Amino acid sequence: MSDDLLSRITVEEGKRSGKPCIRGMRITVADVLGWLAAGESAESILSYHPELEPEDIRASLAYGARQVDHPAVAAAA
C-alpha cells in the first residue's frame, strides 16, 4: 500500500472527535466507506462532494484494509 496514498488520511484532535478524515476535511474515512457500503458509486460520491478526489476514495479503502489486516489471535484451550 502506498504511503503517499495513506498520507491523504489525517487525524486531528478536536476534528470529528479525532476520527480519521480526508485531507484535513470534516469528511471521515467512515463516511466514505459507509457511502460505498450503502451502494453509492465512487462517481456518485465525487459528484455530491466535489471537494473529494478519486484518490481520496482509494485512500479510504486502503486505510480500511490496513485497519482490518491484523494478526489473528487464538485463545488457548
Side-chain angles (χ1 to χ4, degrees):
M1 234 172 283
S2 167
D3 287 337
D4 186 47
L5 190 61
L6 291 175
S7 70
R8 291 176 163 270
I9 307 302
T10 58
V11 176
E12 298 176 41
E13 187 177 332
K15 183 177 282 181
R16 296 295 304 263
S17 301
K19 294 178 182 176
C21 293
I22 309 299
R23 294 182 292 120
M25 293 185 256
R26 297 189 57 76
I27 298 173
T28 66
V29 169
D31 292 334
V32 174
L33 295 177
W35 296 328
L36 291 167
E40 290 289 330
S41 68
E43 294 77 18
S44 174
I45 293 168
L46 294 171
S47 72
Y48 285 115
H49 302 279
E51 66 275 25
L52 291 177
E53 299 171 356
E55 293 82 7
D56 296 327
I57 293 175
R58 289 183 40 233
S60 296
L61 290 167
Y63 185 89
R66 180 171 278 185
Q67 292 303 304
V68 299
D69 187 24
H70 55 80
V73 178

